Amino acid sequence: MDDEGARGVRGTGADRVPRPPAGVPLPPAVPPKVPGTGAPSSGQPWGPRSGEPEAPRVPAIPPPAGPPAAHLTGPTPPPPTEQPPASLDVWLRTPRPRAAPGVWRFGFTPRPPEQGEEVSDRSLVVGAVITLLSALLLWSLWRNGYLPYRLVPLKLFTPGEWWNPGTSGGPRTIEGSDALTVYEAFLFGLLVYGSGRIGNFSELFRRHVVDRGQPFLALAAAVAAGLTQLLVWKEALPVVRPVLVLVAAVAGGEIYQSQTVVNIIYGLIAAAVLWPFARLGRWRELVAARRGTATPPPADDPAPATETSADRWPELRAAGWTDAAETLTAEVRTGRMNDVDVARLRHAWAEATRSPDRLAPLAEAVLRTGGAAALHPSGRRDLPRRTARHDVLTGQVRIGRCAEDPHNPYARRSTGLALDPTLLGTSLLAVGPPGSGKSDRLVRPVVEALGLRALAGQAAVLAVGGAGAPLGPDEAFDVVVRVGNPASAHDLDLYGGTSDPDEAAAVLAEGLVGDVGSLDSRRAATVLAQLLGPYRAAHGHFPSVPELRELLDGAPAALAGLRATLEAAGHHAMLRELEARARQAGAPGDPAPVLADRVALLDRPAFAGFFATGPDARPFELRSLGQYPLRVRVDLPERGHAEASRLLTRLLLAQFTAITAARTDTTLFAGLVLDDATHAVTAETVRGIRRLRSVNAGAVLTLRTVDDVPEPLHTPLLGAVGCTAAFSGITTWDGKRFAEAWGKEWVETREVAQHTVFADQPFTRALHALRKLVTGKAVTTDAVTVRQVEKERWSASELAYAVPAGHAVIRLTTVDGEYAPPLLVELGGR
């Protein structure tokens, strides 16, 4: 963000707003009202949410340069340069079916059911040839009378005077001959059907004819039809004569005295023979395609437009705001809107429906400004650059593709893997060595996704990383805090914006000494409360870093001055707190010296002017994240002040879990992304992470190894987060912890034991000896044992050595309890 003109004491506040760059108008103190309505034109309250106290300091987001406007949205920036891959109306109509957790839903099509092991082409052809030869042999034996009792079934259902005596006696009368003709045709049909099923001719036809497509399919069907017609009319196939016999039996023999009738019957027989080949060859489709009459749906328009299509804004039409719906429909089709505009207006409309008095102002703003209505307070309509594929309607960001690996379920292989707030709401822990892709392929896409949802008014994001971490450009954030950088336009409030000394002490103690296992953070919080409470009562604000250090060190001048101020103001309760601190100072196990040493890490010349308090200080307060759709990035000085950076990371994590848990309005998703959570996780923050899913919030933590967390917290941390990711290159020790956390599954195993066959007969022994001489192997038989065993989903060795570079094994869980098994994911794969 441009920091020009924002020098002096850094920070933002509701009553003290830093000056924007030269030439940019000051943002209004409150959202402007629509003339004559007295309500914001967007219907979206950007002030404190109902039921929450007004934040003492709210970051004011400077709008982009341009003339001020008279409606809520402020100046309208030019449409973003980056659009969805397809046109917006097609993008809106693309189906997004419900799917398993983590499935990329945009245009998702489930995989077809898993097929068994396919028979090889050679086996298929050999089986078909053997079946065909067997059928020809059987039919030849039938026709030549070599099959005994072949006429017995027919004689049982026909008069005896039609046949010669004996089981093999043939027909005596014309009626018997006609019955035999029909009987043979019926048996021939059964033989053809049975041979086709046994020889698997349908699979052979599909694999070698249908799969080649047109016109080969139609040509092959035409050749087969011509050959069949030839065999039918040569009476090699019993078709014509049985049909003539049946027609004569039904209509009488006199029907054949008319040549026209005979020709019609012959024509019907020829058509009946051709019909199945026409169906198999798809002649009708081929002719329609040649004539150009076929109208298949275009590939880039999966769903035709209807009155209820998403691009027609049916929710506005159903509420009676047809003019507003027509305005937005025109904006979509003319390209004046983008996907963020659609998501933002849909969310604004959903929020307005909960308060009917806000519907009219929102509709009026839509009529005046179109897709620029209900803008984010920054005036931005998109991120300056996207590095991943996003579907803003569902809140998903695609991070990769499930690999074709036996570990992955068949239905998930080759499907896209995406993250969304329902998954991030359970928090995510990613572990992998440097260079494995955690920042570029996971953290950056997640920050972008939350930033897009913030522009749509649905989320707030806090991204924390070292200076230079790939979290996104400054223009992608509303507030950028560069700790230790004099050019930073914003400070950081160590107390999180609270006015309660006990709450401030608890969070600050967690950040200062939460990683000290030998020190109880509750005792440290008590010590801090004994100092913060009296100081705030005396001065109206919490102490700055140098003043807090002096108080913790027990400096006589600092304590005497504070005591005198309290006595003069009559704060007797706070005097007792201060006296209790004085009595406990220097006692064995006193946490004050450790706290003072940790505060000294922040009391460095590089941080002079930061963490300021008092009436002239305006630091950024993390409490604003719970009330406004902010995009905040904090850059930590990891290179020169590594220990101070870890302390601040712990403090921000503790503040985030405490602030989000205390929210009364949880409609806004709050996300925290820590690019490096080394030594930032404590026992209290683990308990706070576990509570995030119930308050519509989540955290993304990355670690180089699980050992960056104290060993007693390994199991609680893996149990507190719902989503875990093991990147390529982790050690077997880390792999063991993931394998234990992911559990086991029942699988079917096949054990094959080979036993040598010993023959007793001389001829058999000779054959076995000849076979061994030819193959070089003894004759054996296989004994197969199939068992159900419980096996780890991923073993520690597989996680350490079988995960390819650029891949990760990710397990996902939604806030509703749905889960996906650990999946091998190709990060960034399309």
Side-chain angles (χ1 to χ4, degrees), residues 456-749:
Q458 304 174 40
V461 57
L462 171 63
V464 182
L471 300 178
D474 293 355
E475 295 78 10
F477 296 91
D478 305 317
V479 176
V480 177
V481 180
R482 298 182 177 91
V483 179
N485 188 343
S488 177
H490 302 278
D491 284 345
L492 190 65
D493 188 357
L494 295 180
Y495 304 101
T498 182
S499 58
D500 184 356
D502 293 327
E503 181 181 351
V507 175
L508 185 58
E510 197 63 35
L512 293 176
V513 295
D515 61 327
V516 181
S518 59
L519 184 61
D520 188 358
S521 60
R522 290 174 295 183
R523 292 189 58 193
T526 301
V527 171
L528 288 172
Q530 290 173 341
L531 296 174
L532 296 181
Y535 191 94
R536 180 172 178 81
H539 301 283
H541 58 82
F542 291 122
S544 63
V545 170
E547 293 169 333
L548 180 60
R549 181 182 180 184
E550 290 181 354
L551 292 174
L552 289 172
D553 282 333
L559 293 176
L562 179 57
R563 185 179 294 106
T565 305
L566 291 174
E567 290 175 351
H571 294 293
H572 302 290
M574 292 303 171
L575 276 173
R576 289 195 298 271
E577 284 283 288
L578 190 61
E579 294 300 334
R581 170 85 289 268
R583 290 193 301 271
Q584 297 170 4
D590 182 18
V594 180
L595 291 169
D597 291 341
R598 289 300 178 89
V599 173
L601 296 174
L602 304 179
D603 188 17
R604 306 295 302 162
F607 304 134
F610 275 83
F611 318 121
T613 58
D616 297 330
R618 293 168 294 180
F620 167 71
E621 297 174 354
L622 203 62
R623 189 173 298 274
S624 304
L625 285 176
Q627 301 171 351
Y628 304 94
L630 293 175
R631 301 167 296 163
V632 183
R633 193 187 78 204
V634 178
D635 294 342
L636 301 176
E638 288 185 344
R639 294 184 179 179
H641 304 273
E643 192 62 34
S645 297
R646 294 172 182 174
L647 186 153
L648 292 174
T649 303
R650 278 195 308 273
L651 179 61
L652 289 172
L653 178 58
Q655 286 184 357
F656 181 82
T657 56
I659 290 170
T660 53
R663 290 191 302 169
T664 57
D665 184 0
T666 60
T667 57
L668 194 70
F669 180 83
L672 169 67
V673 180
L674 296 183
D675 186 50
D676 184 7
T678 302
H679 301 296
V681 179
T682 65
E684 185 60 33
T685 54
V686 167
R687 287 189 285 269
I689 290 173
R690 190 178 290 112
R691 294 191 296 264
L692 290 179
R693 71 174 64 187
S694 62
V695 293
N696 196 24
V700 177
L701 314 176
T702 67
L703 297 170
R704 295 181 177 89
T705 173
V706 181
D707 290 330
D708 288 339
V709 176
E711 186 173 359
L713 298 180
H714 289 175
T715 299
L717 177 61
L718 290 173
V721 296
C723 304
T724 49
F727 283 70
S728 60
I730 65 172
T731 64
T732 52
W733 292 275
D734 287 342
K736 179 181 179 181
R737 298 182 181 99
F738 280 107
E740 293 175 350
W742 292 339
K744 300 179 179 181
E745 62 179 345
W746 288 98
V747 296
E748 184 180 276
T749 61

Side-chain angles (χ1 to χ4, degrees), residues 203 274 347 385 430 585 615 642:
E203 176 65 18
L274 282 178
H347 176 72
R385 181 172 178 266

Side-chain angles (χ1 to χ4, degrees), residues 290-500:
R290 294 295 184 183
R291 292 180 177 177
T293 58
T295 56
D300 59 345
D301 196 356
T306 63
E307 192 65 27
T308 58
S309 298
D311 62 322
R312 299 278 295 171
W313 300 87
E315 59 272 21
L316 273 70
R317 298 178 188 274
W321 299 99
T322 306
D323 294 341
E326 290 294 343
T327 300
L328 294 179
T329 301
E331 294 266 307
V332 168
R333 295 182 177 176
T334 56
R336 294 195 296 267
M337 290 180 64
N338 67 354
D339 53 351
V340 180
D341 295 331
V342 174
R344 185 186 69 252
L345 289 173
R346 280 191 166 188
H347 176 72
W349 185 263
E351 290 290 317
T353 53
R354 299 180 184 145
S355 300
D357 58 320
R358 288 158 44 184
L359 289 175
L362 177 58
E364 184 179 348
V366 169
L367 291 174
R368 286 202 307 267
T369 62
L375 271 185
H376 186 265
S378 67
R380 303 292 181 182
R381 297 172 66 177
D382 201 353
L383 298 178
R385 181 172 178 266
R386 302 186 189 184
T387 61
R389 294 179 61 187
H390 298 269
D391 184 18
V392 188
L393 282 187
T394 59
Q396 287 190 312
V397 54
R398 179 165 176 156
I399 63 172
R401 179 182 63 88
C402 295
E404 289 280 354
D405 187 87
H407 286 92
N408 292 343
Y410 171 80
R412 298 301 298 268
R413 297 174 191 171
S414 75
T415 61
L417 189 84
L419 299 176
D420 59 66
T422 62
L423 297 170
L424 298 177
T426 64
S427 298
L428 186 149
L429 174 66
V431 179
S436 58
K438 301 189 302 298
S439 298
D440 293 330
R441 301 181 181 181
L442 178 65
V443 171
R444 175 70 181 270
V446 168
V447 173
E448 286 182 1
L450 294 177
L452 291 172
R453 289 186 68 82
L455 291 177
Q458 304 174 40
V461 57
L462 171 63
V464 182
L471 300 178
D474 293 355
E475 295 78 10
F477 296 91
D478 305 317
V479 176
V480 177
V481 180
R482 298 182 177 91
V483 179
N485 188 343
S488 177
H490 302 278
D491 284 345
L492 190 65
D493 188 357
L494 295 180
Y495 304 101
T498 182
S499 58
D500 184 356

Side-chain angles (χ1 to χ4, degrees), residues 122-146:
R122 180 178 179 181
S123 300
L124 198 62
V125 173
V126 170
V129 171
I130 292 176
T131 303
L132 179 61
L133 295 177
S134 300
L136 291 176
L137 176 61
L138 185 61
W139 183 246
S140 177
L141 294 175
W142 166 270
R143 293 295 299 269
N144 292 287
Y146 290 108

